[in-house]
Amino acid sequence: MGSIKGNEPGRRAGGWGYAGSAGGADMMPRMPRTTSRKLRERQELVAAILPILKKTYPDARCSLDFKAPLELLVATILSAQCTDARVNVVTRGLFRKYRNAQAYARAPQEELERDIQSTGFYRNKAKSIRAMAAALIESHGGNVPRSMEELTHLAGVGRKTANVVLGNAFGQNVGIAVDTHVGRVSQRLGLTRHADPVKIEQDLMLIVPREDWTLWSHLLIFHGRQICIARQPRCAECPLRSHCQSAEGFLRAHAEKRRQA
């Protein structure tokens, strides 16, 4: 899912700060102060580009393979600092071997490490998965909970991972998952000035229609992989070019580099 993470394996359980003290899946982060004019401009921009993205990427979806909430939870933990393609290779065998929370919790640390080694950071990831599974058994009957608060109290699970699971396994738009692509594309479009994924999410939740929160992440991930590439964005062929505050600057820089070559 990219490298902007709020949920690195080995982190302490629990999420980031929320406004208020009420629990439940709809606990909302404290929103940044944004002028009404700037907010309206960003909302109008989203209204303009969202239909374009939907038309351009009609098959946008979660690129992690899963058939059950636990599988998606494990896959998302493994995706930290690892490509989704590599995770999918590893989980083909992993999901056949470990079919429930009990199997992960009982797995010897060293054995699970070997099973997930190619995803990187495998010691911390194995530790997090085993602790997460034990907590599912102890507190949730072996099942993946359906609320942000409960998910972010599991080992290795931060708000981003919880958003992925809630949105894609349970169909709940509680927040917006922000990975490298979502953050980069949002910044270039002028939808946020922040680099921190938590603050980026806060900005996006104010301007993206809630019913599209989960899909928005997939659309920006697809766009970030195919067009708005980190080092050499393909602005000349970008369907969002006329709406992007960064496109002309990248095009000028590219033209200058070609002249100097």
Side-chain angles (χ1 to χ4, degrees):
M1 295 292 290
S3 61
I4 293 184
K5 301 288 181 180
N7 55 314
E8 299 294 351
R11 64 178 288 282
R12 67 176 180 81
W16 42 275
Y18 298 91
S21 57
D26 289 327
M27 292 177 69
M28 302 292 286
R30 293 184 179 89
M31 294 300 181
R33 294 181 179 178
T34 305
T35 64
S36 58
R37 179 180 177 182
K38 175 61 70 175
L39 185 60
R40 285 196 304 271
E41 290 174 351
R42 290 177 176 177
Q43 289 171 335
E44 291 170 358
L45 178 55
V46 168
I49 67 177
L50 187 53
I52 299 173
L53 289 169
K54 288 180 177 179
K55 183 178 180 179
T56 305
Y57 308 106
D59 299 321
R61 63 172 183 84
C62 180
S63 54
L64 293 170
D65 295 335
F66 70 98
K67 294 181 179 179
L70 179 60
E71 291 184 352
L72 181 56
L73 180 54
V74 170
T76 309
I77 292 174
L78 293 177
S79 73
Q81 305 298 321
C82 183
T83 66
D84 291 354
R86 166 50 53 184
V87 172
N88 288 337
V89 170
V90 170
T91 56
R92 284 183 205 139
L94 193 73
F95 293 161
R96 288 194 296 267
K97 182 174 181 179
Y98 303 97
R99 296 184 177 274
N100 50 44
Q102 289 79 4
Y104 286 110
R106 291 196 303 261
Q109 173 73 16
E110 296 78 9
E111 182 175 351
L112 185 55
E113 287 178 6
R114 289 194 296 271
D115 291 335
I116 65 172
Q117 185 171 2
S118 65
T119 67
F121 299 96
Y122 57 91
R123 291 189 178 89
N124 280 341
K125 290 178 180 180
K127 183 178 179 180
S128 292
I129 290 171
R130 293 175 67 244
M132 173 272 293
L136 292 184
I137 296 168
E138 180 179 352
S139 303
H140 304 285
N143 299 312
V144 177
R146 294 172 176 248
S147 78
M148 176 65 69
E149 183 180 20
E150 291 172 311
L151 280 168
T152 53
H153 278 82
L154 298 173
V157 180
R159 186 171 175 91
K160 176 187 168 292
T161 291
N163 277 329
V164 171
V165 173
L166 290 170
N168 295 282
F170 297 125
Q172 297 182 26
N173 287 305
V174 176
I176 298 176
V178 177
D179 77 342
T180 304
H181 304 293
V182 175
R184 180 177 68 254
V185 176
S186 296
Q187 291 161 354
R188 289 176 174 176
L189 286 168
L191 299 176
T192 182
R193 295 178 301 170
H194 298 292
D196 178 75
V198 170
K199 294 181 180 179
I200 293 172
E201 183 191 10
Q202 292 171 348
D203 284 340
L204 294 176
M205 288 169 69
L206 291 172
I207 58 179
V208 178
R210 183 164 187 158
E211 63 269 21
D212 290 313
W213 282 358
T214 299
L215 178 60
W216 176 264
S217 292
H218 300 323
L219 291 170
L220 264 62
I221 289 170
F222 272 55
H223 190 64
R225 287 173 174 166
Q226 298 183 32
I227 300 292
C228 198
I229 302 164
R231 293 189 177 182
Q232 293 184 318
R234 297 158 60 186
C235 299
E237 56 191 279
C238 179
L240 305 182
R241 175 178 171 180
S242 63
H243 301 285
C244 181
Q245 69 172 20
S246 304
E248 297 311 312
F250 279 117
L251 289 169
R252 286 194 298 271
H254 180 65
E256 181 64 24
K257 183 180 293 185
R258 292 183 62 181
R259 282 196 296 269
Q260 295 176 357

